[in-house]
């Protein structure tokens, strides 16, 4: 059995997570709707730059309110108590995904500072070594691939396509 | 005959062969597009004869429309926007242990789709082009409304979450400069958002990054060197060819949809594959099988997107109007050689135009040969362990996203949109309607506002015949989808009651 199958949150916790997403989206949508009303309309057109976004956000708000009411009606009060523990379990089971996004964030933030080749090399080495079965062969393959897709790709883009990837400060 | 002789010369054929390979490889890598491959090819054609140069570019074009299939089927990541719908069935089919069948179906459907579009191009280019350019913003807006009804087919388990996803896509498309007056919108004073969210970065983030993240969910499996597809990979291309030909209605309908949408300036493969998939699902006797790895879904999507290659040439050849960025580059390459593009092109340069038609057909044949010969090599991707594929493809996505506009800020967007995509996927929101919203949003807004700027009269949307036809089709499409949903609900209730 896989690790993901070991931990499956209840349907109720899934519904609570969705409910939270509806609330977050509703807050964003209401904010953007209000901002859209402040966009001035040009005298040359019947609909201004804010009209289409207002239409979209109005529909979104309507749908989200319906979804929130539907979720609240479905959920028993006891479900909220279990949510915290189940959400933590869900996140723990996906620790490699969280690590992936963390590495991606550091990688893209590091590109303008240390340049593409070094940032990509480090990103590839760290991720591959973390994910791969630990043997000498896999480490060797990881280093080779990291070199090819960092310094090699940088060379290919610069010399063949005339596209210069960031070199860093 | 002169044109045919030039296209079929040994030198041209060799160059076209390499062009098709370049197109396939470029489109197979997420983040790299057919447009980028064609732009890079353009300077290489300056020293060639006009027909030789355009033939090479057409081979890149045709190869590119098929290349997107490879990553769509094997990784679940659309290599190009035109292969979004291909992921719906080709990827589940590959994961069910049939990656060879998924790729072969797509390649054969692309081949036949391109051939059908070339035949339509030869026969119907002038009348179709005249019709396409007569359409005003009212018809375009109504067409987009019709295209948006596709959402009903892509929603998966929940219509509500599908609609929310589509509206999120439309909302994302409104960020940045307003398409009509250039007014800034929702940029929060950030340079990052000022130019809007580039569609391809959103596509890569939503589909590629979230899919790659899903691949590493199972820590135990990945650390034991799990591959993308387990089991023996079978490859029976001739049997699959028969399988494709056994679906003549789907093949022809999807190809004609591709030609029709390709002929409309501003539309293209990214819409055609979704519309063709939607129509195949609606007319299927077993619509529930779509999305689980059915052959009909792969055939519809790939025939639909490949046929837009021929469709896009219709307004270009007949009227000198490029229908897409790629067509504009093709047009530029003709102009570089001193050939004026416009309604007289076919009269003044008949050899060139008929040579282009032949080059399209030859390119599709080359694409087929290359794909069939190299299929086993592509299928090896499915045997690479996930610990190699995930980081390497992610780096390719980052490089591709940067190369689109040479902007580091696009990389921050990529990471943010990837996280959003993964979160939405984990919460059971369908991602395809979101992408559809991002594609169609700017076209819908531009045409709605243009229509009302031309004449401030809403009734024109229903009094102009073609616009009315599209709107009636949209209403019928929604009614059909609602009927299907209600019927499925009733069936489930009956099953529950009997259980």
């Amino acid at each position: 059995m896989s690790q993901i199958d070991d931990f499956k949150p209840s349907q109720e916790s899934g519904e609570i997570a969705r409910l939270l997403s509806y609330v977050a989206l509703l807050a964003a949508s209401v904010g953007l709707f209000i901002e859209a009303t402040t966009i001035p309309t040009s005298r040359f057109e019947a609909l201004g730059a804010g009209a289409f976004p207002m239409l979209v956000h109005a529909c979104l708000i309507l749908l989200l309110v319906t979804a929130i009411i539907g979720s609240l009606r479905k959920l028993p009060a006891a479900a909220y108590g279990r949510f915290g523990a189940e959400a933590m379990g869900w996140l723990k089971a996906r620790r490699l995904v969280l690590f992936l996004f963390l590495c991606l964030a550091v990688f893209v933030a590091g590109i303008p500072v240390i340049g593409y080749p070094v940032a990509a090399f480090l990103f590839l080495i760290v991720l591959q070594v973390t994910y791969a079965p630990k043997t000498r062969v896999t480490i060797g393959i990881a280093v080779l691939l990291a070199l090819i897709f960092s310094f090699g790709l940088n060379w290919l883009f610069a010399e063949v396509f005339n596209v210069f990837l960031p070199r860093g400060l | 005959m002169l044109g045919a002789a030039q296209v079929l010369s040994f030198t041209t054929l060799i160059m076209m062969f390499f062009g098709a390979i370049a197109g396939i490889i470029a489109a197979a890598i997420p983040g790299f597009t057919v447009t980028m491959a064609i732009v890079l090819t353009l300077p290489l054609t300056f020293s060639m004869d006009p027909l030789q140069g355009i033939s090479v570019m057409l081979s890149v074009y045709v190869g590119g429309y098929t290349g997107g299939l490879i990553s769509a089927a094997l990784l679940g990541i659309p290599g190009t926007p035109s292969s979004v719908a291909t992921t719906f069935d080709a990827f589940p089919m590959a994961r069910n242990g049939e990656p060879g069948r998924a790729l072969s179906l797509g390649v054969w459907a692309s081949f036949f789709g391109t051939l059908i579009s070339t035949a339509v191009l030869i026969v119907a280019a002038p009348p179709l082009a005249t019709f396409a350019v007569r359409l005003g913003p009212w018809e375009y807006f109504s067409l987009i409304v019709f295209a948006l009804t596709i959402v009903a087919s892509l929603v998966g388990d929940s219509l509500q979450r599908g609609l929310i996803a589509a509206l999120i896509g439309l909302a994302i498309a409104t960020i940045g400069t307003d398409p009509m007056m250039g007014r800034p919108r929702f940029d929060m004073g950030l340079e990052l958002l000022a130019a809007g969210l580039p569609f391809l970065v959103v596509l890569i983030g939503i589909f590629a990054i979230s899919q790659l993240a899903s691949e590493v969910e199972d820590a135990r499996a990945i650390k034991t060197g799990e591959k993308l597809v387990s089991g023996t990979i079978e490859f029976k291309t001739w049997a699959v060819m028969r399988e494709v030909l056994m679906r003549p209605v789907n093949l022809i309908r999807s190809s004609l949809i591709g030609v029709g949408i390709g002929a409309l300036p501003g539309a293209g493969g990214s819409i055609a594959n979704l519309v063709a998939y939607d129509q195949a699902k609606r007319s299927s006797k077993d619509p529930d099988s779509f999305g689980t790895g059915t052959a009909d879904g792969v055939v519809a999507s790939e025939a639909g997107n490949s046929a837009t290659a021929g469709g896009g040439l219709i307004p270009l050849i007949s009227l000198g109007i490029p229908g897409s960025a790629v067509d504009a580059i093709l047009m530029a390459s003709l102009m570089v050689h001193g050939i004026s593009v416009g309604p007289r092109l076919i009269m003044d340069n008949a050899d060139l135009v008929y040579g282009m038609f032949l080059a399209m057909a030859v390119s599709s044949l080359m694409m087929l040969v290359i794909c069939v010969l190299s299929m086993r090599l592509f299928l090896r991707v499915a045997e690479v362990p996930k610990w190699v594929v995930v980081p390497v493809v992610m780096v390719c996505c980052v490089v591709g996203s940067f190369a689109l506009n040479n902007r580091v800020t696009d990389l921050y967007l990529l990471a943010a949109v990837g996280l959003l995509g993964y979160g939405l996927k984990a919460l059971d929101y369908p991602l395809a309607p979101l992408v559809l919203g991002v594609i169609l949003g700017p076209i819908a807004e531009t045409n709605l506002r243009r229509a009302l700027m031309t004449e401030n009269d809403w009734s024109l949307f229903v009094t102009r015949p073609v616009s009315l036809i599209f709107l009636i089709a949209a209403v019928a499409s929604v009614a059909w989808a609602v009927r299907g949903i209600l019927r499925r609900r009733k069936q489930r209730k009956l099953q529950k009651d009997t259980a």
Side-chain angles (χ1 to χ4, degrees), chain A residues 24-39:
Chain A
L25 286 169
L26 181 67
S29 205
V30 168
L32 291 173
F33 181 88
I34 294 167
E35 196 179 330
T37 58
T38 63
I39 300 173

Side-chain angles (χ1 to χ4, degrees), chain A residues 2 6 21 45 49 116 157, chain B residues 32 185 218 220 395 429 449:
Chain A
S2 76
D6 291 347
S21 75
E45 56 173 345
Y116 168 78
F157 268 72
Chain B
F32 294 80
R185 290 192 305 203
D218 196 339
R220 264 183 226 156
V395 164
Y429 285 86
R449 288 169 64 186

Side-chain angles (χ1 to χ4, degrees), chain B residues 6-18 362 366:
Chain B
Q6 214 176 340
V7 171
L8 297 175
S9 72
F10 182 72
T11 324
T12 311
L13 288 175
I14 288 285
M15 286 177 179
M16 285 173 71
F17 186 77
F18 284 111
V362 172
M366 279 183 175

